[in-house]
Amino acid sequence: MKKLVNALTGNLTLKIFSVVLAFLMWAFVLSDTNPIRMKSFENINVSVKGESSLEDNGLMILGDWAQELNNIRIDVEVNSEDFDAVTADDFSISLDLSSIVSPGQYTVRLDIVNKEPLKVQKITGVSKSTIDIVVDKKITREVPVQSTFNGELPAGYWASTPVITPEIVSITGAEQEINQIQTAACVINLDGMTSSYNEKASIVFYDENGNDLKDIQLEDGVPSAIVKMDVYPYKNVDINMEDLLVGENNLPAGYIIKSTTLSVTNVNIAGPSDVIDQIDTVNVETINVSNARENIVKKVKVLIPDGAQIIDGNTQIEVVVEIGKVTRSDTQ
């Protein structure tokens, strides 16, 4: 019996070593036949929850925050036999905004969803685990639209005051951005313009210092307006005085017209070339001097042929007709 016990215990160290060696060889065989491998996936799909909740609370996120959700990478460990089976479609990232109920700065967690957990041994890294966002109150405001100009018209051309449709635009965006807006305008480039303008133009917003708010974020994008503006050649023409007075032969005996003075003697007119090329002078409304014994001071309308228009504001001129008794000097 003693010999049997000695036989069983005499090589105990060797036997333990043999067991350990067998275990290591078994583990090596397993790892060699199905080793762990690293794999990375780019552009993981991100699902966003809670955007409607922001809308319901009258809130919006500033900036191009969704851009930060592009090209997110996940690093994983997978068994060699599953290396090809595991794809980017097995993962998604969830961003939940539903807990945000007031304006402020937030750091929101990005949660990784592994659709097939059994195929992945371990997620070892992610290129972005949180996103920083700024949330503001969303407001709507009406802003009048005006026009501004770049450049100059060619010599000899005139442009009317632009007509903008609509004259007022309604814009919606973050309160801190909308409140920066001082003016809104359609910008018209006059360089080389020799014909009338009728275009759809984007509206540019400016702050109180005249800076272009080109990065402003509006809910419906940058609005536009239709701008119409007449552009014509112009010329200066004299006022015809020959037919200005009527009834000169009906003055009382002993009275004459001593002088006729106009506040302006010429005006600037604009219109299509085939119209204004035919105009050398323009008439004004006539003044009846019949039976007049004293001076006449009267404003009369300048009469412009169809197709042309006065561009210097002198649509009316003042006429002074000096009437007096005949003196010896008048007869000499």
Side-chain angles (χ1 to χ4, degrees), residues 108-299:
V108 185
R109 188 177 69 252
L110 298 174
D111 293 321
I112 300 174
V113 179
N114 183 4
K115 301 178 183 177
E116 297 290 344
L118 296 180
K119 292 182 180 181
V120 176
Q121 294 296 318
K122 183 179 180 182
I123 296 176
T124 59
V126 58
S127 60
K128 186 182 291 290
S129 59
T130 62
I131 180 175
D132 294 326
I133 59 175
V134 178
V135 178
D136 197 10
K137 181 181 178 182
K138 182 166 62 176
I139 64 171
T140 298
R141 176 182 162 197
E142 291 189 338
V143 182
V145 183
Q146 59 189 28
S147 59
T148 60
F149 301 99
N150 286 335
E152 295 181 355
L153 288 172
Y157 282 85
W158 163 89
S160 66
T161 300
V163 176
I164 300 176
T165 306
E167 296 180 344
I168 298 175
V169 292
S170 179
I171 54 175
T172 300
E175 183 175 34
Q176 60 183 277
E177 291 196 337
I178 296 297
N179 286 342
Q180 291 183 61
I181 297 174
Q182 188 68 27
T183 57
C186 292
V187 182
I188 305 170
N189 184 11
L190 298 177
D191 287 335
M193 188 179 295
T194 59
S195 60
S196 293
Y197 185 88
N198 185 357
E199 300 289 343
K200 184 177 183 179
S202 295
I203 297 173
V204 181
F205 298 96
Y206 301 92
D207 64 17
E208 61 182 358
N209 297 317
N211 298 314
D212 181 354
L213 298 172
K214 57 185 177 182
D215 295 326
I216 191 168
Q217 180 182 353
L218 301 177
E219 185 175 62
D220 298 321
V222 177
S224 58
I226 300 297
V227 182
K228 295 182 179 181
M229 181 178 68
D230 293 331
V231 177
Y232 294 127
Y234 74 90
K235 65 188 293 188
N236 185 268
V237 295
D238 292 330
I239 294 175
N240 178 22
M241 295 182 60
E242 293 183 4
D243 302 319
L244 173 60
L245 304 179
V246 296
E248 293 175 90
N249 296 328
N250 294 324
L251 289 172
Y255 284 84
I256 61 171
I257 295 176
K258 294 190 173 185
S259 66
T260 303
T261 305
L262 309 182
S263 59
V264 296
T265 59
N266 51 68
V267 294
N268 290 316
I269 63 171
S273 297
D274 58 349
V275 173
I276 65 172
D277 285 348
Q278 306 301 316
I279 303 172
D280 294 320
T281 62
V282 293
N283 297 319
V284 294
E285 293 174 324
T286 58
I287 297 176
N288 191 345
V289 296
S290 297
N291 302 314
R293 288 182 168 84
E294 57 185 21
N295 295 344
I296 298 175
V297 180
K298 186 176 182 180
K299 287 187 175 181

Side-chain angles (χ1 to χ4, degrees), residues 1-113:
M1 185 67 179
K2 184 176 180 181
K3 290 182 178 180
L4 179 61
V5 172
N6 290 336
L8 291 176
T9 60
N11 297 318
L12 180 60
T13 301
L14 179 60
K15 292 176 181 178
I16 293 175
F17 174 76
S18 298
V19 172
V20 171
L21 180 61
F23 175 79
L24 291 175
M25 292 181 65
W26 175 76
F28 173 77
V29 170
L30 288 181
S31 63
D32 188 52
T33 57
N34 192 20
I36 299 297
R37 298 178 62 183
M38 298 293 300
K39 193 169 187 179
S40 297
F41 302 99
E42 306 281 349
N43 299 316
I44 300 300
N45 178 62
V46 179
S47 62
V48 181
K49 302 176 183 179
E51 287 187 281
S52 60
S53 176
L54 288 177
E55 181 74 22
D56 293 342
N57 288 314
L59 302 173
M60 67 180 296
I61 303 174
L62 273 69
D64 191 9
W65 61 276
Q67 185 69 26
E68 296 189 41
L69 302 179
N70 294 335
N71 199 30
I72 294 180
R73 187 190 77 254
I74 288 180
D75 301 320
V76 299
E77 291 181 354
V78 297
N79 290 329
S80 180
E81 64 181 16
D82 295 325
F83 189 83
D84 293 331
V86 178
T87 69
D89 293 335
D90 293 325
F91 304 90
S92 68
I93 292 178
S94 176
L95 173 64
D96 191 354
L97 304 173
S98 59
S99 62
I100 299 175
V101 295
S102 62
Q105 296 184 358
Y106 296 87
T107 298
V108 185
R109 188 177 69 252
L110 298 174
D111 293 321
I112 300 174
V113 179

